[in-house]
Amino acid sequence: MSGIKDNEELRGPSSMKSDIEPGEQELVSLVEVEDAELARKSSQSKSQGQLVRRRFLNHKAAMISTVVLVVITLTAFTSIGFAGIPGWWGQSYLKSSSVINGGAPTLSLWPSWLGGPGFAIGEHPFGQDNTGKDYFALVMRGTQKSIIIAVTVGALSTCIGAIIGAVAGYFRGWVDEVLMRLTDLFIVIPLLVLAAVLGQLAGSKLGGSIFALALVLGMLTWTGLARLVRGEILSLREREYVAAAQAMGSKTSRVIFKHLLPNTIGVIVVNATFAIAGAILLETSLSFLGFGVKAPESSLGLLISQYQNAFTNRPWLFWWPGMLIVTIALSVNFLGDGLRDAFDPRQTKKTRRRTKKEEVSE
């Protein structure tokens, strides 16, 4: 008997399969195939960052907007140069010359086979202003300043809002009450009026610098993000990993900046893009009213304000900066929509439509 047992052990699992009935053997093979497929999928599993990136790249409107923003930014900063670096455009926004053909744009995009003059850029594609300056160079100069102001405001307001919201949500109690009442105070006061007054004061003290205006706007537009981050932190601070970090003796600053704020990065990034779009429109409004950027500096809003009277006889002086403002603001908003859908797939249009259908069916 012992010899028989030894022979069965020597045969191993492969020889024992022959003793299994055909139906059971098919079941074993199916289980092995499913295990192999599961192992393959688990080895190809994607991280959270990869999933976010894939969802963002699949968002067509966001990708088109990104390309448009990159093209506008590169054209603005490389055409006329920046920070002492010369550009590839031959005209200067500071040099006046004789007005040619009433300052009309020389840009032509209507093809000749459709009865148009054909494709041509010309010497002044955006036309000339009253003094004969090249308007393309002026618009690119204004675009540079508007982008710098918008990015500075977005970065500053995001930092202030994230820190205030995180501190209020983490400590709660009287700290939360003080910070949230301060936030409510900024919300109650009309933003445009407050920005106009403080921007005028800062501009007079600092010689009309665009960074002074950006600093003021950044210190006034953080309230929305602060409330959003506070709400996220209030829920995150009850998680197990926060309690573990506190039990291990981690400092409060480490818990906030290493464990809590990184988990709100989706809210922060999305709000930062919307803050940039809002900053462009706010700067345009202030400059149009005379409380924003002032000469000799330039911005898209200031160009619209300076040439608003030329809307009837030379409309291109109004339309070029106006179209750029609308294009940049829409592109940034579409970019924000793409980031929102990438970080929170529940907010996609397909999901919202499916949810509405389910509610109707119920």
Side-chain angles (χ1 to χ4, degrees):
M1 293 294 292
S2 61
I4 295 174
K5 290 182 180 180
D6 293 339
N7 291 334
E8 290 178 354
E9 293 176 356
L10 289 173
R11 282 186 298 174
S14 59
S15 59
M16 292 177 67
K17 285 186 178 180
S18 60
D19 299 335
I20 302 176
E21 296 181 1
E24 295 179 354
Q25 190 171 1
E26 292 178 0
L27 181 61
V28 172
S29 301
L30 181 60
V31 171
E32 290 178 351
V33 170
E34 290 179 351
D35 290 342
E37 183 69 16
L38 182 61
R40 183 183 65 83
K41 289 182 178 180
S42 62
S43 63
Q44 295 178 354
S45 60
K46 295 180 174 58
S47 64
Q48 181 66 22
Q50 291 173 331
L51 292 174
V52 170
R53 183 167 60 251
R54 187 180 67 177
R55 287 194 291 263
F56 178 74
L57 294 177
N58 290 333
H59 198 286
K60 296 180 181 179
M63 294 307 301
I64 294 174
S65 300
T66 302
V67 173
V68 171
L69 283 175
V70 170
V71 170
I72 291 177
T73 303
L74 289 179
T75 304
F77 282 89
T78 61
S79 58
I80 61 174
F82 180 73
I85 302 175
W88 48 264
W89 185 246
Q91 304 291 337
S92 173
Y93 64 92
L94 298 173
K95 183 180 179 181
S96 300
S97 60
S98 58
V99 179
I100 302 174
N101 193 22
T106 59
L107 178 65
S108 174
L109 301 177
W110 196 259
S112 56
W113 55 274
L114 289 177
F119 179 78
I121 296 178
E123 188 176 1
H124 304 287
F126 285 9
Q128 295 173 283
D129 68 349
N130 302 331
T131 61
K133 294 179 181 179
D134 180 60
Y135 203 55
F136 175 80
L138 281 172
V139 171
M140 291 300 104
R141 177 68 173 178
T143 305
Q144 286 184 2
K145 299 303 181 180
S146 294
I147 291 176
I148 291 174
I149 292 174
V151 173
T152 304
V153 171
L156 184 59
S157 65
T158 300
C159 292
I160 296 175
I163 293 174
I164 291 180
V167 170
Y170 181 79
F171 287 102
R172 298 188 295 187
W174 68 269
V175 176
D176 185 21
E177 289 293 329
V178 171
L179 292 178
M180 287 301 100
R181 296 300 76 77
L182 178 64
T183 304
D184 294 338
L185 179 63
F186 276 89
I187 293 175
V188 168
I189 301 175
L191 177 60
L192 188 61
V193 176
L194 187 60
V197 174
L198 295 181
Q200 189 79 1
L201 293 175
S204 60
K205 296 292 184 181
L206 299 177
S209 172
I210 62 170
F211 291 103
L213 179 63
L215 181 65
V216 170
L217 297 182
M219 295 178 66
L220 297 176
T221 55
W222 52 267
T223 54
L225 179 61
R227 297 171 72 92
L228 291 173
V229 172
R230 172 183 174 271
E232 292 287 329
I233 298 296
L234 283 174
S235 61
L236 291 174
R237 73 184 304 276
E238 306 299 332
R239 301 291 179 88
E240 290 79 3
Y241 62 86
V242 177
Q246 293 172 342
M248 293 175 64
S250 298
K251 296 181 179 180
T252 302
S253 59
R254 180 176 178 83
V255 174
I256 293 176
F257 291 101
K258 289 289 186 179
H259 299 286
L260 293 177
L261 278 180
N263 286 286
T264 64
I265 190 66
V267 175
I268 294 174
V269 170
V270 172
N271 190 84
T273 58
F274 291 136
I276 292 174
I280 290 178
L281 298 178
L282 183 58
E283 179 274 323
T284 301
S285 302
L286 290 175
S287 298
F288 183 79
L289 295 174
F291 296 104
V293 179
K294 293 180 175 59
E297 292 287 357
S298 181
S299 72
L300 295 176
L302 182 61
L303 290 176
I304 291 179
S305 176
Q306 290 176 337
Y307 299 108
Q308 58 179 317
N309 295 328
F311 182 76
T312 54
N313 53 358
R314 287 184 295 172
W316 57 86
L317 297 178
F318 182 88
W319 281 113
W320 287 118
M323 287 190 296
L324 273 175
I325 290 171
V326 173
T327 302
I328 294 173
L330 285 177
S331 298
V332 175
N333 277 305
F334 282 129
L335 180 61
D337 287 339
L339 290 172
R340 181 196 60 197
D341 295 343
F343 280 104
D344 188 3
R346 295 172 299 176
Q347 297 295 324
T348 58
K349 294 181 179 179
K350 292 182 180 179
T351 305
R352 290 196 293 268
R353 285 198 295 265
R354 185 166 60 249
T355 304
K356 291 181 179 179
K357 289 180 180 179
E358 292 175 354
E359 292 177 352
V360 172
S361 62
E362 291 177 357

